[in-house]
Amino acid sequence: MANAPHGGVLKDLVARDEHLRDNLKAEAHTLPDIVLTERQLCDLELITNGGFSPLEGFMNEADYKSVVDNLRLADGTLFPMPITLDVSREDIDRLSLATGSRIALRDPRDDEALAIITVEDVYRPDQVNEAIQVFGADDPAHPSVAYLRNKVKEYYVGGKVQAIQPPNHFDYVALRFTPAELRAHFKKLAWRRVVAFQTRNPMHRAHRELTVRAARQRQANVLIHPVVGLTKPGDVDHYTRVRVYEAIMAKYPNGMGHLALLPLAMRMAGPREAVWHAIIRKNFGATHFIVGRDHAGPGKNSLGKDFYGPYDAQDLVLKYHEELQIEMVPFQQMTYLPSTDEYQPVDEVPKGAQTLDISGTELRRRLKTGAPIPDWFSYDAVVKTLRESYPPRLKQGFVVFLTGLHGSGKETIAKALQVTLNQQGGRSVSLLLGDTIRPDLDTPFSATAEEHSKNLQRLAFVAAELARAGAAVILAPTAHTQAARDAIRDTILHQAGPGGNFFGVHVATPLEHCEGGDRKGIYARARRGEIRGVPGVDETFEPFERPQLTVDVTKQNVPEIVHSIVLLLETESLL
């Protein structure tokens, strides 16, 4: 028998509101609307299908404060993660948000109305306290703290929702199960005990051995329940991971395992996240849940130390064991014994026995360089899938980002580098110079600050897409603030996939030289007040923090600078 939902009742709002669907859809056309972010979309899907039971909407202020401070809803029910709908002051004014307002919530991908929220309250949260309490520190090295600081708006809207329809998915539809569907599947197969395994990474032989061992010890079946919503920036994309999961499922004993995808937006909140994951798997019908070492940990903090202790997550799940009503299975670190060609938990290995392991860092190195990956570590089908998605360095795209003052020589360097890379061959080479991606912005410094910022975002997006496809991209805008440079870098690193190789080059030519050679008269016009927003005159060109290379055309000629960039790329095995 599947485990009872958290709170006793599965809050399947799509099923609950099915008889109202046509009326709600018609009403949504008449209502003001909020287009959800990717994280809000993931949250709404799990609210409306019951994955977040007992929630029936986004948290009001009372629930939010109680969850942040005490890991409980206002009624005392255990729930460790704040699930919130953030809006700006402009949104509040535009939508006339107030208690009793009804707002349509729309899918950002196809603009379909998914639900209607009835506003209970609009409140301004203490986001610093949220970071400290939920994530352990107000440290931007934590990806969710960085998200909270940079992406989350300043107000939250609380209220229950009525479901119109679930989001449309066009990928791996057969592997997407709601809690009700997965419970029905377990019932049909007479699975009474189900061990759920959470993962956001590709699986290899050790993971298969771990899960099979856990199931056999408990006379249970295995649910492989990977996250395909938002994970940690830099993770392997979910398309590649699901192909890996499909390949590895064939290695399980016949009838033991089942693969289902979870559209969760992870917070990487360590101990709290482990309790949250346990509640979610309980709602999906699992009776047991594997909690790993440093479960859902984001890595190192700003001081170079782990955000959470290795067993903090297991300890917190054990603390709430009676309320959770799902049995925790501690993750056992597995190691390979070549003498017997098998995996065993490290604490059961005979003293003196030879063991073999490959770390995640070493695996990534082998994938990048094309070095062999032994079959004792992974399966041929898994390695083949990973190699298809993560080609060796010589086939990966990259972005060379040059920036400096107007007239610094960055565009001349960029054009010369394009010629040099074209001469070498092996990749397509794309050159994106300043505002040339927008013809209407070709006149230097004719754009407003907002237009310039949007244009930099466009350039970064195009560069990331080209690099993802294996191109060499040379990007040379005037990005005079460090925030703009960081935003471009983050876009490349997080959206370019295997092409997320970013090289910042500061063309640090002195202002006097730039102004002296300014044939277009930009600086003269700026000093006469005819144009504004010119870095070096009425805008500060902020110091470029941590560039891979700093060059200056008053000290090096263009061929020397291009050669130094080529050497940098060769050092990284990209040429």
Side-chain angles (χ1 to χ4, degrees):
M1 179 182 292
N3 208 349
H6 195 54
V9 178
L10 185 68
K11 301 290 186 175
D12 187 341
L13 308 187
V14 174
R16 183 197 69 183
D17 299 332
E18 173 64 27
H19 67 292
L20 300 172
R21 182 176 185 274
D22 291 343
N23 291 339
L24 291 171
K25 192 169 185 177
E27 183 187 359
H29 284 297
T30 70
L31 295 175
D33 53 45
I34 293 174
V35 177
L36 302 170
T37 65
E38 189 176 359
R39 186 163 96 171
Q40 292 167 350
L41 178 65
C42 291
D43 287 350
L44 181 65
E45 181 168 5
L46 287 166
I47 290 170
T48 57
N49 71 16
F52 284 173
S53 295
L55 300 191
E56 295 184 46
F58 290 96
M59 291 181 180
N60 59 29
E61 187 171 21
D63 280 332
Y64 165 78
K65 286 185 173 180
S66 183
V67 166
V68 168
D69 293 335
N70 305 309
L71 288 83
R72 297 184 182 280
L73 300 172
D75 66 5
T77 304
L78 178 68
F79 204 95
M81 196 63 59
I83 306 299
T84 54
L85 180 65
D86 57 294
V87 295
S88 65
R89 179 76 254 176
E90 292 74 18
D91 292 330
I92 294 171
D93 296 338
R94 174 178 62 86
L95 300 169
S96 300
L97 290 177
T99 301
S101 301
R102 284 173 66 78
I103 306 294
L105 303 179
R106 295 191 176 273
D107 190 322
R109 304 164 305 164
D110 57 15
D111 208 41
E112 287 285 338
L114 304 179
I116 296 174
I117 185 171
T118 301
V119 177
E120 293 179 17
D121 55 11
V122 181
Y123 56 99
R124 187 162 195 162
D126 183 345
Q127 292 177 334
V128 171
N129 182 61
E130 181 179 337
I132 293 169
Q133 296 287 4
V134 178
F135 306 116
D138 185 28
D139 183 345
H142 193 298
S144 285
V145 174
Y147 187 94
L148 190 61
R149 287 188 180 189
N150 302 322
K151 300 286 182 69
V152 175
K153 297 173 184 175
E154 62 269 34
Y155 293 90
Y156 293 167
V157 175
K160 293 184 177 180
V161 302
Q162 289 177 290
I164 299 173
Q165 62 184 30
N168 291 314
H169 292 289
F170 301 101
D171 59 331
Y172 307 114
V173 175
L175 298 176
R176 294 180 181 271
F177 291 76
T178 67
E181 291 168 344
L182 205 51
R183 288 168 167 272
H185 182 75
F186 296 158
K187 183 177 181 180
K188 182 177 182 179
L189 297 179
W191 286 13
R192 298 182 61 82
R193 295 187 186 88
V194 180
V195 178
F197 180 64
Q198 142 87 27
T199 183
R200 55 174 239 277
N201 294 312
M203 290 176 66
H204 301 286
R205 273 194 64 181
H207 302 99
R208 185 264 186 197
E209 299 299 329
L210 163 72
T211 50
V212 168
R213 186 183 182 91
R216 284 177 173 163
Q217 287 176 347
R218 291 157 182 83
Q219 295 184 312
N221 291 91
V222 176
L223 170 65
I224 305 300
H225 209 203
V227 172
V228 294
L230 288 180
T231 60
K232 183 180 176 182
D235 280 353
V236 176
D237 68 274
H238 83 271
Y239 300 105
T240 299
R241 290 190 290 111
V242 175
R243 290 196 294 272
V244 165
Y245 304 141
E246 289 179 314
I248 209 165
M249 290 308 295
K251 304 299 181 181
Y252 278 82
N254 189 33
M256 174 179 278
H258 181 73
L259 172 63
L261 309 183
L262 180 68
L264 177 69
M266 289 184 66
R267 270 57 164 188
M268 308 305 297
R272 280 193 184 231
E273 184 117 357
V275 175
W276 188 39
H277 288 177
I279 289 171
I280 293 167
R281 274 39 184 237
K282 177 184 176 184
N283 287 330
F284 276 85
T287 56
H288 297 69
F289 179 54
I290 296 174
V291 179
R293 187 179 183 277
D294 193 23
H295 186 100
K300 305 292 184 184
N301 63 19
S302 294
L303 300 176
K305 298 180 179 178
D306 289 335
F307 271 96
Y308 313 115
Y311 303 108
D312 288 356
Q314 294 180 3
D315 291 344
L316 196 64
V317 173
L318 281 174
K319 176 181 177 181
Y320 294 111
H321 172 72
E322 289 298 321
E323 291 177 84
L324 285 171
Q325 290 297 299
I326 185 170
E327 184 179 328
M328 184 188 77
V329 180
F331 187 106
Q332 293 179 288
Q333 191 69 33
M334 306 294 284
T335 189
Y336 178 69
L337 278 68
S339 60
T340 54
D341 187 28
E342 66 177 349
Y343 276 84
Q344 286 190 10
V346 290
D347 57 359
E348 295 180 19
V349 173
K351 188 175 182 180
Q354 181 191 10
T355 62
L356 296 175
D357 291 292
I358 292 179
S359 67
T361 301
E362 173 62 14
L363 174 63
R364 287 188 290 273
R365 186 194 71 79
R366 294 188 184 212
L367 287 170
K368 286 181 178 180
T369 61
I373 297 170
D375 57 7
W376 61 259
F377 176 78
S378 197
Y379 298 101
D380 289 343
V382 170
V383 174
K384 180 176 181 290
T385 298
L386 290 173
R387 289 204 189 281
E388 287 171 352
S389 296
Y390 288 83
R393 295 288 275 174
L394 285 174
K395 294 185 179 180
Q396 292 176 19
F398 58 82
V399 176
V400 176
F401 169 67
L402 300 113
T403 194
L405 292 167
H406 172 71
S408 62
K410 64 182 183 297
E411 295 194 357
T412 303
I413 296 166
K415 292 173 182 176
L417 179 60
Q418 180 189 32
V419 171
T420 300
L421 294 179
N422 275 328
Q423 175 183 304
Q424 290 201 1
R427 282 187 186 84
S428 64
V429 183
S430 296
L431 179 62
L432 303 175
L433 293 178
D435 292 330
T436 54
I437 197 169
R438 282 284 307 276
D440 55 315
L441 298 180
D442 271 353
T443 304
F445 309 106
S446 62
T448 65
E450 182 179 1
E451 288 173 333
H452 183 65
S453 175
K454 288 182 178 178
N455 195 52
L456 291 177
Q457 293 170 21
R458 292 187 191 98
L459 286 167
F461 172 78
V462 173
E465 291 300 303
L466 290 167
R468 177 195 291 275
V473 184
I474 305 163
L475 184 59
T478 300
H480 63 281
T481 67
Q482 188 59 38
R485 298 171 206 136
D486 288 343
I488 291 171
R489 178 178 179 274
D490 287 346
T491 298
I492 304 302
L493 294 181
H494 298 154
Q495 296 185 20
N501 302 295
F502 179 87
F503 302 92
V505 179
H506 182 198
V507 185
T509 306
L511 175 62
E512 302 75 36
H513 181 87
C514 299
E515 196 163 357
D518 180 20
R519 291 174 50 252
K520 294 182 179 180
I522 296 296
Y523 289 106
R525 291 178 61 200
R527 294 195 185 282
R528 292 195 298 268
E530 296 174 11
I531 55 175
R532 299 190 59 79
V534 178
V537 179
D538 61 335
E539 292 280 355
T540 300
F541 190 95
E542 297 177 5
F544 194 146
E545 298 176 8
R546 302 176 301 279
Q548 277 79 12
L549 201 61
T550 300
V551 299
D552 178 348
V553 298
T554 66
K555 298 177 182 177
Q556 305 154 275
N557 60 39
V558 171
E560 289 172 341
I561 292 171
V562 169
H563 185 61
S564 65
I565 296 172
V566 169
L567 288 177
L568 175 62
L569 296 171
E570 287 179 341
T571 300
E572 296 294 324
S573 303
L574 289 163
L575 296 178

